[in-house]
Amino acid sequence: AQSVTQPDIHITVSEGASLELRCNYSYGATPYLFWYVQSPGQGLQLLLKYFSGDTLVQGIKGFEAEFKRSQSSFNLRKPSVHWSDAAEYFCAVGEAGGTSYGKLTFGQGTILTVHP
Amino acid sequence: EAQVTQNPRYLITVTGKKLTVTCSQNMNHEYMSWYRQDPGLGLRQIYYSMNVEVTDKGDVPEGYKVSRKEKRNFPLILESPSPNQTSLYFCASSSPLRSEAFFGQGTRLTVV
């Protein structure tokens, strides 16, 4: 069964600092990988996704993520964090085809706090 | 505008009183699902539907029912809610091409 681990429950950074959120997954084949962001009281917004091809993917709001098959990781990065980036971030893995193609398995989430 | 709409956004109910949370999508997606979000646990899938009249259990289906009579609608039914079903619920839809899920705004349910 697939699983996703986000090792950091809570991360605090200063505005303008760089950010890396970690995500490790367990999946038998090539996964579909996603990062979602959830602002307080809001739904989930897709930041970026990886299906195939270039392992470095660009997303919205200046975020990027790199797929590393050898490490089973899909870490999210941003070179300079803005106060508006404070939110909870979820990594998710999706099944590519089969009978549960739409199912996403989520990590536990990482809460990002940004200090001015 | 492509969207998934859930109603209500907030709901407080008493133990045992049947309730339904509605979900509708306008993207003609085949796949729809319900998740619940609990602190420290992320989102967990409750039920999903591959298409009209095709539904199946997710990871945490106990205490829930669903139906899919129309492609756009996928209501979540709690026949006899209990306090441990107090949670934040999300409906999502996707197409078979990409697995990318679109989420509703969420329904915060409190069962007292």
Side-chain angles (χ1 to χ4, degrees), chain A residues 36 43-44 101-104 106, chain B residues 3-6 21-36 43-50 66 68 71-76 89-95 99-107:
Chain A
Y36 284 87
L44 281 83
Y101 66 82
K103 177 179 180 178
L104 295 179
F106 285 85
Chain B
Q3 61 184 1
V4 178
T5 303
Q6 293 178 231
V21 183
T22 63
C23 173
S24 180
Q25 51 96 3
N26 63 1
M27 294 166 280
N28 201 37
H29 284 165
E30 289 81 2
Y31 189 100
M32 296 185 73
S33 59
W34 278 100
Y35 294 85
R36 61 178 288 172
L43 283 81
R44 294 175 292 166
Q45 192 182 54
I46 302 170
Y47 266 94
Y48 65 94
S49 170
M50 301 287 285
V66 293
R68 188 90 180 273
K71 195 172 186 179
R72 63 183 291 122
N73 296 323
F74 189 46
L76 179 69
Y89 292 86
F90 286 100
C91 179
S93 73
S94 58
S95 76
S99 282
E100 174 182 345
F102 293 82
F103 285 84
Q105 287 295 93
T107 296

Coordinates of all heavy atoms in Angstrom, one line a residue, chain A residues 36 43-44 101-104 106, chain B residues 3-6 21-36 43-50 66 68 71-76 89-95 99-107:
Chain A
Y36 N -0.1 20.2 -2.1 CA -1.2 21.0 -1.9 C -1.0 22.0 -0.7 O -0.2 21.6 0.2 CB -2.5 20.2 -1.5 CG -3.1 19.5 -2.7 CD1 -2.7 18.3 -3.1 CD2 -4.1 20.1 -3.4 CE1 -3.3 17.6 -4.2 CE2 -4.7 19.5 -4.5 CZ -4.3 18.2 -4.9 OH -4.9 17.5 -5.9
G43 N -10.0 25.6 1.6 CA -9.8 24.3 1.0 C -8.4 24.1 0.6 O -7.5 24.8 0.9
L44 N -8.2 23.0 -0.2 CA -6.8 22.7 -0.7 C -6.6 23.2 -2.1 O -7.4 23.0 -3.0 CB -6.6 21.2 -0.6 CG -6.3 20.6 0.7 CD1 -7.6 20.3 1.5 CD2 -5.5 19.2 0.6
Y101 N -7.6 5.2 -9.6 CA -6.8 6.2 -10.3 C -6.9 7.5 -9.6 O -6.0 8.4 -9.7 CB -7.1 6.3 -11.8 CG -8.4 6.8 -12.1 CD1 -8.7 8.2 -12.1 CD2 -9.5 5.9 -12.4 CE1 -9.9 8.7 -12.4 CE2 -10.7 6.4 -12.7 CZ -10.9 7.8 -12.7 OH -12.2 8.3 -13.0
G102 N -8.1 7.8 -9.0 CA -8.3 9.1 -8.5 C -7.9 9.3 -7.0 O -7.9 10.4 -6.4
K103 N -7.5 8.2 -6.4 CA -7.3 8.2 -4.9 C -6.0 8.9 -4.7 O -5.0 8.6 -5.3 CB -7.3 6.8 -4.4 CG -7.0 6.8 -2.9 CD -7.0 5.4 -2.3 CE -6.7 5.5 -0.8 NZ -6.7 4.1 -0.2
L104 N -6.0 9.8 -3.7 CA -4.8 10.4 -3.2 C -4.5 9.9 -1.8 O -5.4 9.9 -0.9 CB -4.9 11.9 -3.2 CG -5.0 12.6 -4.6 CD1 -5.2 14.1 -4.4 CD2 -3.8 12.3 -5.4
F106 N -2.4 11.0 1.5 CA -1.8 12.3 1.9 C -0.8 12.0 3.1 O -1.0 11.1 3.9 CB -2.9 13.2 2.5 CG -3.6 13.9 1.4 CD1 -4.7 13.3 0.8 CD2 -3.3 15.2 1.0 CE1 -5.5 13.9 -0.2 CE2 -4.0 15.8 0.0 CZ -5.1 15.2 -0.6
Chain B
Q3 N -15.3 24.1 -10.6 CA -15.3 24.1 -9.1 C -16.0 22.9 -8.6 O -16.8 22.3 -9.3 CB -15.9 25.4 -8.6 CG -17.4 25.6 -9.0 CD -17.9 27.0 -8.5 OE1 -17.1 27.7 -7.8 NE2 -19.1 27.3 -8.7
V4 N -15.7 22.6 -7.3 CA -16.4 21.6 -6.5 C -17.1 22.4 -5.4 O -16.4 23.1 -4.7 CB -15.4 20.6 -6.0 CG1 -16.2 19.6 -5.1 CG2 -14.7 19.9 -7.1
T5 N -18.4 22.2 -5.3 CA -19.2 22.9 -4.3 C -19.7 22.0 -3.2 O -20.4 21.0 -3.6 CB -20.3 23.6 -5.0 OG1 -19.8 24.5 -6.0 CG2 -21.1 24.5 -4.0
Q6 N -19.4 22.3 -2.0 CA -19.9 21.5 -0.9 C -20.9 22.4 -0.1 O -20.7 23.6 0.1 CB -18.8 21.1 0.1 CG -17.8 20.2 -0.4 CD -16.7 19.9 0.6 OE1 -15.6 20.0 0.2 NE2 -17.1 19.5 1.8
V21 N -24.3 15.8 3.6 CA -23.5 16.9 3.1 C -23.4 16.7 1.6 O -23.1 15.6 1.1 CB -22.0 16.8 3.7 CG1 -21.2 17.9 3.2 CG2 -22.1 16.8 5.2
T22 N -23.8 17.8 0.9 CA -23.9 17.6 -0.6 C -22.5 18.0 -1.2 O -21.8 18.8 -0.7 CB -25.0 18.5 -1.1 OG1 -24.7 19.9 -0.9 CG2 -26.3 18.1 -0.5
C23 N -22.3 17.5 -2.4 CA -21.1 17.8 -3.2 C -21.5 17.8 -4.6 O -22.1 16.8 -5.1 CB -20.0 16.8 -2.9 SG -18.6 17.0 -4.0
S24 N -21.1 18.8 -5.4 CA -21.4 18.9 -6.8 C -20.2 19.5 -7.5 O -19.5 20.4 -7.0 CB -22.6 19.9 -7.0 OG -22.9 19.9 -8.3
Q25 N -19.9 18.9 -8.7 CA -18.8 19.4 -9.5 C -19.3 19.7 -10.9 O -20.2 19.0 -11.4 CB -17.6 18.4 -9.5 CG -18.0 17.0 -9.9 CD -17.8 16.6 -11.3 OE1 -17.3 17.3 -12.1 NE2 -18.2 15.3 -11.6
N26 N -18.7 20.7 -11.6 CA -19.1 21.1 -12.9 C -18.1 20.8 -14.0 O -18.1 21.4 -15.0 CB -19.5 22.6 -12.9 CG -18.3 23.5 -12.6 OD1 -17.2 23.0 -12.4 ND2 -18.5 24.7 -12.5
M27 N -17.2 19.8 -13.7 CA -16.1 19.5 -14.7 C -16.3 18.2 -15.4 O -15.4 17.8 -16.1 CB -14.8 19.5 -13.9 CG -14.4 20.9 -13.3 SD -13.1 20.8 -12.1 CE -14.0 20.2 -10.6
N28 N -17.4 17.6 -15.2 CA -17.8 16.4 -15.9 C -16.8 15.2 -15.5 O -16.5 14.3 -16.3 CB -17.8 16.5 -17.4 CG -18.6 15.4 -18.1 OD1 -19.6 14.9 -17.5 ND2 -18.2 15.0 -19.3
H29 N -16.2 15.3 -14.3 CA -15.3 14.3 -13.9 C -16.0 13.0 -13.5 O -17.1 13.0 -12.9 CB -14.5 14.8 -12.6 CG -13.5 15.8 -12.9 ND1 -12.9 16.6 -12.0 CD2 -12.9 16.2 -14.1 CE1 -12.0 17.4 -12.5 NE2 -12.0 17.1 -13.8
E30 N -15.3 11.9 -13.9 CA -15.8 10.6 -13.5 C -15.6 10.3 -12.0 O -16.5 9.7 -11.4 CB -15.2 9.5 -14.4 CG -15.5 9.5 -15.8 CD -14.8 10.5 -16.7 OE1 -13.9 11.2 -16.1 OE2 -15.0 10.6 -17.9
Y31 N -14.5 10.6 -11.5 CA -14.1 10.2 -10.2 C -14.4 11.2 -9.2 O -14.0 12.4 -9.3 CB -12.6 9.9 -10.2 CG -12.0 9.2 -9.0 CD1 -11.8 7.8 -9.0 CD2 -11.7 9.9 -7.8 CE1 -11.3 7.2 -7.8 CE2 -11.3 9.3 -6.7 CZ -11.0 7.9 -6.7 OH -10.5 7.3 -5.6
M32 N -15.1 10.8 -8.1 CA -15.3 11.7 -7.0 C -15.1 11.0 -5.7 O -15.2 9.7 -5.6 CB -16.8 12.2 -7.0 CG -17.1 13.1 -8.2 SD -18.8 13.8 -8.2 CE -18.6 15.1 -7.0
S33 N -14.7 11.7 -4.7 CA -14.4 11.1 -3.4 C -14.6 12.0 -2.3 O -14.7 13.2 -2.4 CB -12.9 10.6 -3.4 OG -12.0 11.6 -3.6
W34 N -14.7 11.4 -1.1 CA -14.8 12.2 0.2 C -13.6 11.8 1.1 O -13.2 10.7 1.2 CB -16.1 11.8 0.9 CG -17.3 12.5 0.4 CD1 -18.2 12.0 -0.4 CD2 -17.7 13.8 0.7 NE1 -19.2 13.0 -0.7 CE2 -18.9 14.1 0.1 CE3 -17.1 14.8 1.6 CZ2 -19.6 15.3 0.2 CZ3 -17.8 16.0 1.7 CH2 -19.0 16.3 1.0
Y35 N -13.1 12.9 1.7 CA -12.0 12.8 2.6 C -12.4 13.4 3.9 O -13.2 14.4 4.0 CB -10.7 13.5 2.1 CG -10.1 12.9 0.9 CD1 -10.5 13.2 -0.4 CD2 -9.0 12.0 1.0 CE1 -9.9 12.7 -1.5 CE2 -8.4 11.4 -0.1 CZ -8.9 11.8 -1.4 OH -8.3 11.3 -2.5
R36 N -11.8 12.9 5.0 CA -11.9 13.7 6.3 C -10.5 14.1 6.7 O -9.5 13.3 6.5 CB -12.6 12.9 7.4 CG -12.0 11.6 7.8 CD -12.7 10.9 8.9 NE -12.6 11.6 10.2 CZ -13.2 11.3 11.3 NH1 -14.1 10.3 11.3 NH2 -13.0 12.0 12.4
L43 N -5.3 13.9 5.4 CA -6.6 13.6 4.9 C -6.7 12.1 4.6 O -5.8 11.5 4.0 CB -6.9 14.4 3.5 CG -7.2 15.9 3.7 CD1 -6.0 16.7 3.9 CD2 -8.0 16.3 2.4
R44 N -7.8 11.6 4.9 CA -8.0 10.1 4.7 C -9.3 9.9 3.9 O -10.3 10.5 4.2 CB -8.1 9.4 6.1 CG -6.8 9.4 6.9 CD -7.1 8.8 8.2 NE -7.9 9.6 9.1 CZ -8.5 9.1 10.2 NH1 -8.3 7.9 10.6 NH2 -9.3 9.9 10.9
Q45 N -9.2 9.0 2.9 CA -10.4 8.8 2.0 C -11.4 8.0 2.7 O -11.2 6.9 3.3 CB -9.9 8.1 0.8 CG -11.0 8.1 -0.3 CD -10.5 7.4 -1.6 OE1 -10.1 6.3 -1.5 NE2 -10.6 8.1 -2.7
I46 N -12.7 8.5 2.6 CA -13.8 7.8 3.2 C -14.5 6.8 2.2 O -14.6 5.6 2.4 CB -14.9 8.8 3.7 CG1 -14.2 9.8 4.7 CG2 -16.1 8.1 4.3 CD1 -15.1 11.0 5.1
Y47 N -14.9 7.4 1.1 CA -15.6 6.7 0.0 C -15.2 7.3 -1.3 O -14.8 8.5 -1.3 CB -17.1 6.7 0.1 CG -17.7 5.6 0.8 CD1 -18.0 5.6 2.2 CD2 -18.1 4.4 0.2 CE1 -18.6 4.6 2.9 CE2 -18.7 3.3 0.8 CZ -18.9 3.4 2.2 OH -19.5 2.4 2.8
Y48 N -15.3 6.5 -2.4 CA -15.0 7.1 -3.7 C -16.0 6.5 -4.7 O -16.7 5.5 -4.4 CB -13.6 6.9 -4.1 CG -13.2 5.4 -4.4 CD1 -13.3 4.9 -5.6 CD2 -12.7 4.7 -3.3 CE1 -12.9 3.6 -5.8 CE2 -12.3 3.4 -3.5 CZ -12.4 2.8 -4.8 OH -12.0 1.5 -5.0
S49 N -16.1 7.2 -5.8 CA -17.0 6.7 -6.9 C -16.3 6.9 -8.2 O -15.7 7.9 -8.5 CB -18.3 7.5 -6.9 OG -19.0 7.3 -8.1
M50 N -16.2 5.8 -9.0 CA -15.6 5.8 -10.3 C -16.5 6.3 -11.4 O -16.0 6.8 -12.4 CB -15.2 4.3 -10.7 CG -14.2 3.7 -9.7 SD -12.6 4.3 -9.8 CE -12.0 3.6 -11.3
V66 N -22.7 6.8 0.9 CA -22.6 7.7 -0.3 C -23.6 7.1 -1.3 O -24.0 6.0 -1.3 CB -21.2 7.8 -0.9 CG1 -20.3 8.5 0.1 CG2 -20.7 6.5 -1.3
R68 N -24.3 7.8 -5.8 CA -23.9 8.5 -7.1 C -24.9 8.3 -8.1 O -24.8 7.4 -9.0 CB -22.5 8.0 -7.5 CG -21.9 8.9 -8.7 CD -21.1 10.0 -8.2 NE -20.6 10.8 -9.3 CZ -19.4 10.6 -9.9 NH1 -18.7 9.5 -9.6 NH2 -19.0 11.4 -10.8
K71 N -23.8 12.1 -12.4 CA -22.4 12.3 -12.5 C -21.8 13.5 -11.7 O -20.7 13.4 -11.1 CB -22.0 12.4 -14.0 CG -20.5 12.2 -14.2 CD -20.2 12.2 -15.7 CE -18.8 11.9 -16.0 NZ -18.5 11.8 -17.5
R72 N -22.6 14.5 -11.6 CA -22.1 15.7 -11.0 C -22.2 15.7 -9.5 O -21.5 16.5 -8.8 CB -22.8 16.9 -11.6 CG -24.3 17.0 -11.3 CD -24.9 18.2 -12.0 NE -24.5 19.4 -11.3 CZ -23.9 20.4 -11.9 NH1 -23.6 20.4 -13.2 NH2 -23.6 21.5 -11.3
N73 N -23.1 14.9 -8.9 CA -23.3 14.9 -7.5 C -22.9 13.7 -6.7 O -23.0 12.5 -7.2 CB -24.8 15.1 -7.2 CG -25.4 16.4 -7.8 OD1 -24.7 17.4 -7.7 ND2 -26.6 16.4 -8.3
F74 N -22.4 13.9 -5.5 CA -21.8 12.8 -4.7 C -22.1 13.1 -3.2 O -21.1 13.5 -2.5 CB -20.4 12.6 -5.0 CG -19.8 11.3 -4.4 CD1 -20.4 10.1 -4.5 CD2 -18.5 11.4 -3.8 CE1 -19.9 9.0 -4.0 CE2 -18.0 10.2 -3.3 CZ -18.6 9.0 -3.4
P75 N -23.3 13.0 -2.7 CA -23.5 13.3 -1.3 C -23.0 12.3 -0.3 O -22.9 11.1 -0.6 CB -25.1 13.3 -1.3 CG -25.5 12.4 -2.4 CD -24.5 12.5 -3.5
L76 N -22.6 12.8 0.8 CA -22.1 12.0 1.9 C -23.2 12.0 3.0 O -23.7 13.0 3.4 CB -20.8 12.6 2.5 CG -20.2 11.9 3.7 CD1 -19.6 10.6 3.3 CD2 -19.1 12.8 4.3
Y89 N -14.5 17.9 6.5 CA -14.7 17.0 5.4 C -14.5 17.7 4.0 O -14.9 18.8 3.8 CB -16.2 16.4 5.4 CG -16.4 15.5 6.6 CD1 -16.7 16.0 7.8 CD2 -16.2 14.1 6.4 CE1 -16.9 15.1 8.9 CE2 -16.4 13.3 7.5 CZ -16.8 13.8 8.7 OH -17.0 12.9 9.8
F90 N -13.9 17.0 3.1 CA -13.6 17.5 1.8 C -14.1 16.6 0.7 O -13.9 15.4 0.8 CB -12.1 17.8 1.6 CG -11.6 18.9 2.3 CD1 -10.9 18.8 3.5 CD2 -11.7 20.2 1.8 CE1 -10.3 19.8 4.1 CE2 -11.2 21.3 2.5 CZ -10.5 21.1 3.7
C91 N -14.8 17.1 -0.2 CA -15.2 16.4 -1.4 C -14.2 16.8 -2.5 O -13.6 17.9 -2.6 CB -16.6 16.8 -1.9 SG -17.2 16.0 -3.4
A92 N -13.9 15.8 -3.4 CA -12.9 16.0 -4.5 C -13.4 15.3 -5.7 O -14.1 14.3 -5.7 CB -11.5 15.5 -4.1
S93 N -12.9 15.8 -6.9 CA -13.2 15.2 -8.1 C -12.0 15.2 -9.0 O -11.1 16.0 -8.9 CB -14.4 15.8 -8.9 OG -14.0 17.1 -9.4
S94 N -11.9 14.2 -9.9 CA -10.8 14.1 -10.8 C -11.2 13.3 -12.1 O -12.2 12.6 -12.1 CB -9.6 13.5 -10.2 OG -9.9 12.2 -9.7
S95 N -10.4 13.5 -13.1 CA -10.6 12.7 -14.3 C -9.6 11.6 -14.4 O -8.6 11.6 -13.7 CB -10.5 13.6 -15.5 OG -9.1 13.8 -15.8
S99 N -5.2 12.1 -12.5 CA -5.3 11.9 -11.0 C -5.3 13.2 -10.2 O -5.4 13.2 -9.0 CB -4.2 11.0 -10.5 OG -4.5 9.7 -10.7
E100 N -5.2 14.3 -10.9 CA -5.2 15.6 -10.2 C -6.5 15.8 -9.6 O -7.5 15.9 -10.3 CB -4.8 16.7 -11.1 CG -4.9 18.1 -10.5 CD -4.5 19.2 -11.5 OE1 -4.0 18.8 -12.6 OE2 -4.9 20.3 -11.3
A101 N -6.6 16.0 -8.3 CA -7.9 16.2 -7.6 C -8.2 17.7 -7.4 O -7.3 18.5 -7.1 CB -7.9 15.5 -6.3
F102 N -9.5 18.0 -7.6 CA -10.0 19.4 -7.3 C -10.8 19.2 -6.1 O -11.7 18.4 -6.0 CB -10.8 19.9 -8.5 CG -10.0 20.2 -9.7 CD1 -9.6 19.1 -10.6 CD2 -9.5 21.4 -10.0 CE1 -8.9 19.4 -11.7 CE2 -8.8 21.7 -11.1 CZ -8.5 20.7 -12.0
F103 N -10.6 20.1 -5.1 CA -11.3 20.0 -3.8 C -12.3 21.1 -3.6 O -12.2 22.2 -4.1 CB -10.2 20.1 -2.7 CG -9.4 18.8 -2.5 CD1 -8.3 18.6 -3.3 CD2 -9.8 17.9 -1.6 CE1 -7.6 17.5 -3.2 CE2 -9.1 16.7 -1.5 CZ -7.9 16.5 -2.3
G104 N -13.3 20.7 -2.9 CA -14.3 21.7 -2.4 C -13.7 22.5 -1.3 O -12.6 22.3 -0.8
Q105 N -14.5 23.4 -0.7 CA -14.0 24.3 0.3 C -14.0 23.7 1.7 O -13.5 24.2 2.6 CB -14.9 25.6 0.3 CG -14.6 26.5 -0.8 CD -13.2 27.1 -0.8 OE1 -12.2 26.5 -1.4 NE2 -13.0 28.1 0.0
G106 N -14.7 22.5 1.8 CA -14.7 21.8 3.1 C -16.0 22.1 3.9 O -16.6 23.1 3.7
T107 N -16.3 21.1 4.7 CA -17.5 21.2 5.6 C -17.0 20.8 7.0 O -16.5 19.7 7.2 CB -18.6 20.2 5.2 OG1 -19.1 20.6 3.9 CG2 -19.7 20.2 6.2

